[in-house]
Amino acid sequence: QTPLKKTNALIAQMGITFLNAYVPSALCCPSRASILTGKYPHNHHVVNNTLEGNCSSKLWQKIQEPYTFPALLKSMCGYQTFFAGKYLNEYGAEDAGGVGHVPPGWSFWYALEKNSKYYNYTLSVNGKARRHGENYSVDYLTDVLANMSLDFLEYKSNFEPFFMMISTPAPHSPWTAAPQYSKSFQNVSAPRNSNFNIHGKNKHWLIRQAKTPMTNSSIQFLDDAYRKRWQTLLSVDDLIEKLVKKLELNGELDNTYIFYTSDNGFHTGQFSLPIDKRQLYEFDIKVPLLVRGPGIKPNQTNKMLVANIDLGPTILDIAGYDLNKTQMDGMSLLPLLRGDKNVTWRSDFLVEYQGEGYNGSDPTCPGLGPGVTHCFPDCVCEDSYNNTYACVRTLSTSWDLQYCEFDDREVFVEVYNLTADPHQITNIAKTIDQEILEKMNYRLMMLQSCSGATCRTPGVFDPGYRFDPRLMFGNHGVRARRFSGQSL
């Protein structure tokens, strides 16, 4: 059972499904910035969802926006470009130019002010504010985005290639389904995997503070949220169907690439965390990635390790742009899409996150003290200022491994062997071979300071990997290097 039956039939079954697609940061703003720039967070400097965390700030607008892949598509490749939906969480903030700011690179701009909504929102229509109310037939955002997209396909120029980015907030909270779908999936509840509603022992303190077992009200809340998310996706499924039909009607379907993905995963009850993202585990960092288009055979799956930093390079590659001219950290997926033989591919990538949190205490849970945030329901906090970590996620013929370090007082380490333990229940940091730990620590340092081509060097389990332990113990010591590149 899935809410995305049409999407599955029209994209996955007509093309390729990437089984190991990830985001380098499991949070909307850093992840969206990675998609747009093709860079890891330590290179685009968007570290969380706040203006202070560089989300849609003046600094982002000045330093990163002119070099996003849509900006290159428009200026260097002659594309007409169309954006509709949620851009970055703080987009439209007064301190950052309001909704009058239209980022470079977009011929048509229909962006949601601030964060996800379904009704009662403001759109920037090419820099002019347009208010929407709560009348389903004219205001329901998923359908509004669908209609704007269809209009663009109807009236665009046929003499230039086109690129569209449609960014539905669904299934983000507040999970408001279209009225005709508000009764769907009545018997659906959140998956009860082996890591559901268990205590996260041997994990960092933020996971350990979750109350286990969860209260009945928490479980009810996360089950309701899961169901409502599925309900909102039925409208996304309709949007996909309308777009594919329109492309077919226009005679453009066979020469158009369609990518379907998400900016992060989401947990519902794993390790007794009710609902959110921002954690380092598979359920938060893994996303769907489906692609159909010219030269892609139907009904394929691919197990290569791919990340959202690869989307920009892939789309520029399709457009014929020389990727050596960019500063992007990702790799073009085009050889994988075409099914080229003997492709040399990465065996690891970096996950990094800088915790959100502020000096005041969370108003819903004042007893918890300062620094924590998102403590709903039951005062289980989903984030804090020192929830700051970096991981190497490795997938090679011999290893399926994740190595993570926290930038906290205890420099907490988590390591998972996903071959034996796919739900990441057992932290093996204390029992794994010391040499592997040292190599992973060294690889993490390299990835945290990488830029462009150095982000694509061989991983620990590649034959071409070179390990020089002397570099780990230079003047500054291994720990002092941590996260130095991440402060703004």
Side-chain angles (χ1 to χ4, degrees), residues 164-180:
M164 305 174 74
M165 188 167 183
I166 303 156
S167 182
T168 66
H172 199 288
S173 64
W175 315 302
T176 314
Q180 68 271 30

Side-chain angles (χ1 to χ4, degrees), residues 205-242:
W205 74 269
L206 198 61
I207 307 295
R208 297 196 302 265
Q209 54 92 36
K211 298 174 175 61
T212 312
M214 290 185 282
T215 61
N216 289 344
S217 60
S218 263
I219 292 176
Q220 173 103 44
F221 176 71
L222 66 87
D223 277 338
D224 285 347
Y226 192 86
R227 188 178 311 113
K228 287 176 184 161
R229 285 162 63 79
W230 272 34
Q231 291 168 355
T232 67
L233 284 171
L234 289 169
S235 295
V236 177
D237 207 34
D238 291 342
L239 174 152
I240 302 272
E241 180 185 44
K242 288 172 195 163

Side-chain angles (χ1 to χ4, degrees), residues 258-271:
I258 304 175
F259 293 77
Y260 177 93
T261 191
S262 173
D263 54 0
N264 50 252
F266 203 66
H267 53 256
T268 43
Q270 288 89 346
F271 305 127

Side-chain angles (χ1 to χ4, degrees), residues 274-304:
I275 57 164
D276 198 49
K277 49 252 177 174
R278 310 164 203 268
Q279 304 302 338
L280 53 92
Y281 308 103
E282 293 284 285
F283 44 74
D284 285 0
I285 61 173
K286 202 167 190 177
V287 290
L289 177 58
L290 318 171
V291 194
R292 70 170 284 173
I296 303 178
K297 296 188 182 74
N299 254 324
Q300 290 188 80
T301 56
N302 185 296
K303 291 183 173 164
M304 295 295 196

Side-chain angles (χ1 to χ4, degrees), residues 434 438 441-442 445 467-479 481:
Q434 188 64 28
E438 284 178 14
N441 170 281
Y442 175 61
M445 278 180 21
F467 174 54
D468 182 355
R470 288 169 309 185
L471 295 176
M472 294 176 62
F473 306 104
N475 318 343
H476 43 247
V478 64
R479 298 300 177 198
R481 286 288 315 283

Side-chain angles (χ1 to χ4, degrees), residues 2 34 66 68 93-94 163-164 215 218 220 281 308 314 322 356 366 381 452 474 478 482:
T2 166
S34 284
T68 61
E94 286 307 308
F163 168 74
M164 305 174 74
T215 61
S218 263
Q220 173 103 44
Y281 308 103
N308 70 2
T314 305
D322 178 2
E356 242 180 275
C381 302
V478 64
R482 283 293 157 260

